[in-house]
């Protein structure tokens, strides 16, 4: 069963109509539609829309000697869909990165310009609470004064913050494990067990990087031996056994080559996942404290900083007046 090509009129028997009724020139195919708005469609949807747009413009390729109508290869139409999706993703990435830079710059300038004002307000709040507590002697006022003063206490130094977290090689294993959300696994004993030592020696002899015949193989062995050394350092016999089985199985076999269609579909899928990740990032930026502030003045965020500064100056003046009344 055959199907007529989209955009190409069905053929008729010319003998059934007079010569003057026959068309002198072929009709012009409709132009391809614009690519979809990336803010409302995922990269996968953009690809699907572009595929439809590509099919509507098949006949226009005939002017360049290309295939006509439905004669165009499906892979060619899919390639056009990928191209449109790629361009849509690029534009979306530009928009997200632009907003990210604005959020970062606003946060930095907000801290530099307004940080001292916030600090001054905290100090005034502490002084006001202390003056009120000194006047009343009320236990609740004393508690509030202490809380207010604790807010403006200096931060601990870097050495105090990173006590026992740093060593001569950088972050300690415990700190690194916590930051990477990996379980902390300290060594069980000073000297690993005899079985761990045996497994380690066997793996080191088999997988030593000096046995590599080329650079890729050396890099593979380097990475593997690094994992072996870490497991041996913790005396982890079970992990050493797993590594021994991994080495015995040999390097992972390369996957069979994909067809052109498979590669294009895989590319569309990757573009769609990338769009989803960027959408999450954009939402997090917009819903952050600084992002929410920026959305209040999208046209002039610098003026927004000035307006906030003026408001803080007014708050400082009011608190200074309140403190002056309490200490009289």
């Amino acid at each position: 069963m055959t199907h007529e090509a989209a955009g190409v009129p069905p053929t008729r028997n010319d003998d059934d109509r007079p010569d003057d009724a026959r068309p002198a020139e072929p009709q012009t195919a409709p132009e391809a539609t614009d690519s979809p708005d990336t803010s409302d469609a995922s990269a996968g949807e953009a690809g699907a829309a572009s595929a439809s747009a590509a099919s509507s413009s098949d006949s226009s390729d005939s002017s360049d000697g290309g295939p006509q109508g439905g004669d165009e290869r499906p892979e060619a139409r899919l390639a056009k869909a990928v191209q449109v999706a790629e361009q849509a993703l690029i534009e979306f990435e530009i928009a997200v990165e632009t907003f990210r830079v604005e959020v970062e710059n606003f946060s930095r300038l907000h801290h530099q310009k307004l940080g001292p004002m916030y600090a001054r307000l905290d100090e005034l709040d502490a002084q006001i609470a202390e003056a009120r507590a000194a006047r009343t002697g009320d236990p609740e006022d004393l508690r509030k004064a202490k809380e207010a003063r604790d807010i403006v206490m200096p931060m601990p130094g870097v050495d105090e913050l990173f006590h026992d977290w740093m060593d001569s090689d950088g972050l300690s294993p415990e700190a690194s494990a916590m930051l990477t959300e990996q379980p902390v696994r300290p060594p069980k004993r000073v000297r690993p067990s005899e079985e761990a030592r045996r497994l380690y020696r066997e793996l080191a002899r088999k997988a030593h990087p000096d046995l590599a015949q080329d650079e890729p193989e050396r890099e593979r062995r380097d990475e593997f031996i690094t994992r072996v050394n870490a497991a041996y350092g913790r005396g982890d016999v079970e992990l050493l056994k797993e590594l021994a089985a991994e080495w015995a199985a040999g390097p992972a076999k390369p996957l069979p080559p994909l067809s052109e269609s498979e590669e294009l579909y895989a590319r569309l899928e990757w573009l769609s996942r990338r769009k989803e990740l960027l959408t999450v990032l954009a939402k997090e930026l917009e819903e952050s404290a600084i992002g929410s502030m920026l959305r209040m003045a999208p046209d002039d965020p610098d003026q927004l900083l000035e307006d906030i500064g003026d408001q803080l100056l007014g708050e400082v003046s009011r608190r200074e007046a309140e403190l002056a009344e309490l200490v009289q």
Side-chain angles (χ1 to χ4, degrees):
M1 178 178 180
T2 60
H3 297 275
E4 301 288 353
V8 179
T11 57
R12 296 196 302 181
N13 189 346
D14 289 341
D15 295 334
D16 296 338
R17 57 184 176 181
D19 293 340
D20 56 357
R22 299 175 184 174
E25 295 180 357
Q27 295 181 350
T28 303
E31 295 182 356
T33 58
D34 293 334
S35 60
D37 186 356
T38 59
S39 62
D40 299 325
S42 67
E45 293 168 342
S50 63
S52 175
S55 65
S56 69
S57 61
D58 286 340
S59 59
S60 65
D61 293 340
S62 60
S63 61
D64 298 329
Q68 297 183 2
D71 294 336
E72 185 177 21
R73 295 168 57 246
E75 291 81 2
R77 294 197 296 272
L78 187 57
K80 290 181 179 179
V82 170
Q83 185 178 15
V84 171
E86 287 174 340
Q87 291 301 317
L89 182 63
I90 289 172
E91 293 301 321
F92 188 43
E93 287 200 43
I94 291 173
V96 173
E97 178 63 13
T98 299
F99 187 62
R100 187 197 67 78
V101 169
E102 290 183 0
V103 168
E104 183 177 311
N105 289 345
F106 190 93
S107 178
R108 182 180 295 110
L109 291 172
H110 183 270
H111 176 72
Q112 291 175 350
K113 292 184 176 182
L114 307 182
M117 296 186 190
Y118 286 116
R120 176 59 178 162
L121 285 173
D122 289 339
E123 175 62 29
L124 287 170
D125 285 339
Q127 292 181 15
I128 290 171
E130 290 167 345
R132 184 176 292 113
R135 174 176 291 186
T136 66
D138 184 86
E140 181 63 17
D141 289 340
L142 291 171
R143 183 188 64 79
K144 292 180 179 179
K146 183 179 183 306
E147 289 181 353
R149 177 53 59 189
D150 288 341
I151 292 176
V152 296
M153 288 295 289
M155 291 290 290
V158 174
D159 292 339
E160 298 175 58
L161 284 173
F162 289 97
H163 179 63
D164 291 336
W165 281 63
M166 302 289 289
D167 54 30
S168 58
D169 297 325
L171 284 175
S172 66
E174 291 77 11
S176 179
M178 292 180 68
L179 292 174
T180 56
E181 299 183 354
Q182 297 297 321
V184 180
R185 292 188 291 177
K188 298 178 181 179
R189 49 192 291 183
V190 173
R191 174 174 292 174
S193 67
E194 186 59 34
E195 185 176 10
R197 294 167 66 187
R198 176 183 62 80
L199 289 168
Y200 171 72
R201 288 194 296 266
E202 290 178 359
L203 285 170
R205 292 187 183 111
K206 293 176 181 178
H208 198 282
D210 288 348
L211 299 176
Q213 300 297 318
D214 52 44
E215 190 58 29
E217 176 65 10
R218 172 176 286 278
E219 292 177 358
R220 182 176 82 92
R221 288 171 176 263
D222 277 334
E223 185 273 336
F224 183 79
I225 285 295
T226 298
R227 292 157 57 199
V228 169
N229 290 340
Y232 178 66
R234 295 190 299 268
D236 194 331
V237 173
E238 294 303 317
L239 181 54
L240 287 169
K241 289 180 178 179
E242 293 177 9
L243 291 169
E246 178 183 330
W247 185 260
K253 297 180 180 179
L255 297 175
L258 300 176
S259 67
E260 183 179 358
S261 295
E262 290 173 333
E263 288 183 353
L264 290 168
Y265 277 118
R267 178 64 175 167
L268 276 178
E269 184 179 354
W270 181 89
L271 290 167
S272 179
R273 291 198 305 268
R274 176 67 175 165
K275 174 67 181 301
E276 291 175 0
L277 291 174
L278 287 170
T279 301
V280 172
L281 174 59
K283 184 177 180 180
E284 291 177 351
L285 288 170
E286 291 177 354
E287 294 180 351
S288 66
I290 296 298
S292 299
M293 293 174 68
L294 271 175
R295 293 171 65 185
M296 295 169 55
D299 297 329
D300 194 356
D302 294 289
Q303 183 59 45
L304 177 60
L305 277 175
E306 298 296 332
D307 294 342
I308 296 174
D310 292 341
Q311 294 175 12
L312 291 176
L313 283 174
E315 291 293 329
V316 168
S317 298
R318 284 190 288 273
R319 281 171 170 75
E320 288 177 339
E322 181 179 356
L323 179 61
E325 292 179 0
L326 286 171
V327 297
Q328 284 180 353

